[in-house]
Amino acid sequence: MLGGAGLAAAAIWPGGRALAQASDNVVKIGVLDDMTGVFADQQGMGDVVAARMAVEDFGGRVLGAPIELIYGDLQNRPDIGMGIARRWYDQEKVDAIFGLGNSAVALAVQQLTREKNRINVTVAAGTTDLTGTACTPNGLHWTYDNYALARGTVSAMMAEGKRKWFFLTSDYAFGHSLEANGAAVVRALGGEVVGSTRAPLNESDFSAHLLRAAQSGAQVLGLAVAGTDLINAVKQMGEFGLIRRGLQPAALLCLLTNIRAIGLETAQGLVFTEAYYWDQTDETRAFSTRFARIHGRPPTMFQASMWGAVTHYLNAVKAAGTDAAQPVMAKMRETPINDFMTRNGRIREDGRIIRDMYLMRAKRPAQSRGEWDLLEVVQTIPGDQAFRPAAESECQALRRG
């Protein structure tokens, strides 16, 4: 599925030569995400809306050339995601791809991007391999990663004395990475992983997996699943009475829209780690109001950070005086990230954006003042504590010298 259109006309000399130093007289951006599947609610057209807002806020053109935005549905399949990305690079002359909301797709496209010498900014996938063994000079990992999610959430639960863990994991790259990071934090803090089970993506019946968790003796069920799978798993835990019986769910990736879908009656008290919440500051509330006028609800952390990622890229194109990958990446790396969502963010050499993260907790129903008043910020986790230390990264860019 493809869509989008140019948002401004190019400035032209009388002889027909473009004023800009942009290739093909256009700066072309692609948003490649899950538009119709289990993650569509938290990525999807909301990511496209945020990218369009960023382009419009920038003025619709850069270096005198139009900024064109297109989008595609990766359908959570690497072959489809790669097919779209290859067509965008080879035929449609896309300069940078944003989103990549599936870890398997993100890993594949990042290597293709390096081959084609373009830029990819992963906003919604979580695997730490993107800035580890699979890091490239052309790829950035923007919003979060599975290490930061696991560290924040697991540390909070362990501090409450919840030391025995069982993991329910999506059986693909994202889930495997999230479980591995979560289990490593559990063990590092002196806890015990008593078992795990893997479920296919887009599972509808988690009963067998939940029975195994209930019989394991675990105090915490670490949910290394996301989107609709997370919603179904938590709802079914509530239906089976597992939460009342003392098995605490710990969502290793959870977003605002997931909590609304689960409902506070079941979700109340659920702890997880985020990069953004719409009701944190006057600036976050102002952006949320603008976004909701278009999309009908506040943004998730992916949708909010899409605006920041696209804006940072366009500022770098302007500063570099070209849309060529190397000069633009250099400007992106050397420029601090400051917007309504991020304060003094920076890009590490492995492509990891270092930003503060937030430990969140779902409110009790009586605490909620409205449809989207669902969360409270429990703790700010400074960026240099939230993400994997550079010394532990497998990225060869950090091993030079």
Side-chain angles (χ1 to χ4, degrees), residues 61-329:
R61 61 184 180 183
V62 62
L63 306 179
I67 305 164
E68 186 175 345
L69 178 69
I70 62 175
Y71 61 88
D73 185 359
L74 53 77
Q75 298 181 43
N76 294 306
R77 289 179 51 183
D79 59 333
I80 290 178
M82 279 287 282
I84 294 171
R86 191 176 295 278
R87 181 170 68 251
W88 282 359
Y89 286 151
D90 290 346
Q91 299 175 26
E92 302 194 37
K93 309 304 180 185
V94 167
D95 297 295
I97 295 178
F98 293 77
L100 298 168
N102 175 288
S103 288
V105 176
L107 288 167
V109 170
Q110 181 154 287
Q111 297 308 311
L112 177 67
T113 300
R114 181 177 191 173
E115 173 190 326
K116 300 297 183 181
N117 196 26
R118 308 296 171 82
I119 290 172
N120 70 274
V121 182
T122 299
V123 170
T127 177
T128 52
D129 287 346
L130 287 163
T131 54
T133 56
C135 75
T136 79
N138 300 66
L140 300 178
H141 202 177
W142 192 263
T143 311
Y144 77 108
D145 64 27
N146 290 342
Y147 180 98
L149 297 186
R151 183 172 181 82
T153 304
V154 173
S155 297
M157 300 299 296
M158 293 286 285
E160 295 178 5
K162 305 290 178 59
R163 307 182 70 80
K164 291 187 176 182
W165 288 66
F166 187 99
F167 286 91
L168 169 57
T169 302
S170 282
D171 194 11
Y172 77 109
F174 161 79
H176 300 170
S177 171
L178 194 50
E179 179 188 336
N181 280 279
V185 177
V186 169
R187 294 183 178 114
L189 295 176
E192 179 185 1
V193 177
V194 299
S196 65
T197 182
R198 291 183 172 179
L201 185 65
N202 205 18
E203 178 70 279
S204 59
D205 182 3
F206 287 95
S207 56
H209 305 289
L210 296 176
L211 178 62
R212 287 187 61 188
Q215 294 172 340
S216 70
Q219 298 167 291
V220 182
L221 177 57
L223 294 164
V225 295
T228 305
D229 289 350
L230 172 68
I231 294 165
N232 289 336
V234 176
K235 282 184 173 180
Q236 288 170 33
M237 284 188 73
E239 292 166 3
F240 299 155
L242 300 185
I243 300 173
R244 292 193 304 272
R245 287 159 52 187
L247 183 60
Q248 174 69 44
L252 299 183
L253 174 57
C254 185
L255 290 97
L256 178 71
T257 50
N258 304 148
I259 296 297
R260 183 176 179 273
I262 294 167
L264 290 183
E265 192 63 42
T266 298
Q268 59 183 302
L270 188 65
V271 172
F272 55 97
T273 303
E274 279 252 35
Y276 164 89
Y277 180 49
W278 71 269
D279 198 20
Q280 285 177 281
T281 67
D282 288 344
E283 289 177 293
T284 61
R285 285 186 284 272
F287 179 81
S288 175
T289 298
R290 291 179 56 211
F291 182 90
R293 288 195 192 108
I294 303 169
H295 198 56
R297 60 192 179 199
T300 65
M301 70 170 174
F302 301 147
Q303 294 157 353
S305 64
M306 178 66 77
W307 185 96
V310 171
T311 298
H312 194 72
Y313 168 76
L314 293 174
N315 278 322
V317 171
K318 180 179 179 181
T322 177
D323 58 1
Q326 271 67 44
V328 172
M329 286 294 290

